[in-house]
Amino acid sequence: MLKVLTRRIEGKAKDFLSNGQFGFRSGVGTRDAIGVMRMLYERSLDYGNDLYICYVDFEKAFDRVRWVKMMQILKELKVDWKDRRMIKDLYMRQVAVVRLESGDTEPGVIGRGVRQGCPLSPLLFSIYAESMMKDAIDNMEEGVVVGGRRLKDVRFADDQAMVASSEVGLQRLMDGLNRAAEEYGMSVNIKKTKTMVISKAEDKIVEIEIGQCKVEQVKQFKYLGAIITEDGRCEKEIKSRIAMAKQAFTRKKIFCVAVCA
């Protein structure tokens, strides 16, 4: 039943979800998100421009989805009322019991978060996050123009990178994102959120604040498993991949023998 319901809602959400979201969508994945990010900063460097990035980490994002807000978004998305009622019955009456050494606790009401292991959960989270992003930055003129289109973020589920062509533009994007995150019950993890400037110039400084807290600037960052450095080169990523391959071959005790004819 949940799989059928997921396919129904996917039809409604197809045009709602932006091309910047690569998570939980058929035909795209982490490789596409990494490829877009690399193409973005390579094009910027080719034209002599700097790329300002903020890698945003949300604290327990999947557990912070507000159900009342979710139902409102589904209604605006024109999801059939019967389907919305099924989702409401699935979510609104949940209770949980914690098992301790001394016994079980009293049942507690669960008030937010998507269900773990449910086939509908990834789609609901993507819709919720997309609505938040639209409220945050949809009307802003910031970002980076590529091929006549303005790109403001690259996302894979809750892992996202905000991009801009200037420090001021990135700060505006982060202000909008932080404001919308509070409205949607999300919380930006300042300790794990990082900024970076990809530039031909060395030691370029960017100062971004979220809620009066300064975000740490880094020289390299592992985004979706790929190492991105401030110089825009791939040497460290290539060396890292080679090292991981060597470790895998060593663990499996695989030996390659070259035979010369």
Side-chain angles (χ1 to χ4, degrees):
M1 181 191 69
L2 288 172
K3 290 181 179 179
V4 172
L5 191 58
T6 300
R7 287 196 292 268
R8 288 180 181 177
I9 299 177
E10 279 178 343
K12 298 287 185 179
K14 183 178 180 181
D15 297 328
F16 179 73
L17 297 176
S18 68
N19 293 328
Q21 173 61 272
F22 295 91
F24 308 131
R25 303 182 70 179
S26 60
V28 294
T30 55
R31 291 181 300 177
D32 301 276
I34 295 169
V36 169
M37 181 62 72
R38 292 199 182 281
M39 185 179 297
L40 187 61
Y41 67 69
E42 286 174 2
R43 287 289 183 90
S44 297
L45 293 177
D46 288 343
Y47 285 92
N49 299 325
D50 298 335
L51 182 65
Y52 293 78
I53 309 174
C54 186
Y55 301 100
V56 184
D57 181 86
F58 288 105
E59 186 176 354
K60 298 180 180 179
F62 290 86
D63 296 331
R64 289 179 173 270
V65 174
R66 292 178 176 174
W67 296 343
V68 175
K69 186 68 174 178
M70 170 60 71
M71 299 307 298
Q72 179 184 347
I73 296 171
L74 294 177
K75 184 177 180 180
E76 294 174 354
L77 205 56
K78 297 183 179 179
V79 174
D80 188 85
W81 68 271
K82 295 180 181 179
D83 295 337
R84 298 202 311 271
R85 186 177 65 181
M86 292 175 65
I87 297 174
K88 181 180 178 181
D89 292 339
L90 180 67
Y91 273 89
M92 294 298 188
R93 300 171 185 174
Q94 291 188 77
V95 293
V97 175
V98 180
R99 178 167 294 175
L100 305 175
E101 186 177 355
S102 57
D104 296 343
T105 65
E106 292 295 325
V109 178
I110 301 175
R112 62 182 183 179
V114 292
R115 294 163 58 94
Q116 186 174 2
C118 176
L120 188 60
S121 295
L123 178 60
L124 291 179
F125 179 81
S126 295
I127 293 173
Y128 192 82
E130 186 66 39
S131 179
M132 180 183 71
M133 293 302 296
K134 288 183 182 297
D135 287 349
I137 62 175
D138 217 29
N139 296 324
M140 293 187 181
E141 294 299 325
E142 314 300 336
V144 181
V145 178
V146 180
R149 299 181 60 180
R150 188 174 298 276
L151 185 65
K152 304 173 186 177
D153 62 293
V154 179
R155 285 175 283 150
F156 186 90
D158 60 328
D159 292 320
Q160 66 184 61
M162 308 301 294
V163 296
S165 56
S166 66
E167 180 180 345
V168 174
L170 183 60
Q171 183 64 66
R172 289 175 180 172
L173 290 176
M174 293 308 301
D175 289 341
L177 178 61
N178 189 47
R179 172 190 53 78
E182 292 178 355
E183 294 177 2
Y184 280 73
M186 295 292 179
S187 177
V188 178
N189 190 335
I190 300 295
K191 293 182 179 180
K192 293 185 178 181
T193 298
K194 309 296 180 183
T195 60
M196 176 186 292
V197 185
I198 298 181
S199 172
K200 291 182 178 180
E202 296 182 359
D203 300 326
K204 200 150 190 177
I205 303 298
V206 55
E207 295 184 353
I208 300 297
E209 293 185 354
I210 300 178
Q212 297 182 347
C213 294
K214 185 178 178 180
V215 181
E216 180 186 359
Q217 181 179 354
V218 294
K219 294 182 178 296
Q220 70 176 41
F221 187 84
K222 181 168 280 192
Y223 180 65
L224 300 177
I227 298 175
I228 297 178
T229 57
E230 63 178 359
D231 58 4
R233 304 180 69 86
C234 299
E235 280 84 353
K236 291 187 178 181
E237 170 66 8
I238 293 172
K239 291 179 180 179
S240 174
R241 296 288 179 178
I242 293 174
M244 287 190 292
K246 286 183 177 179
Q247 290 177 0
F249 273 80
T250 302
R251 286 195 300 266
K252 296 295 183 180
K253 297 182 180 179
I254 299 175
F255 298 92
C256 298
V257 179
V259 180
C260 299

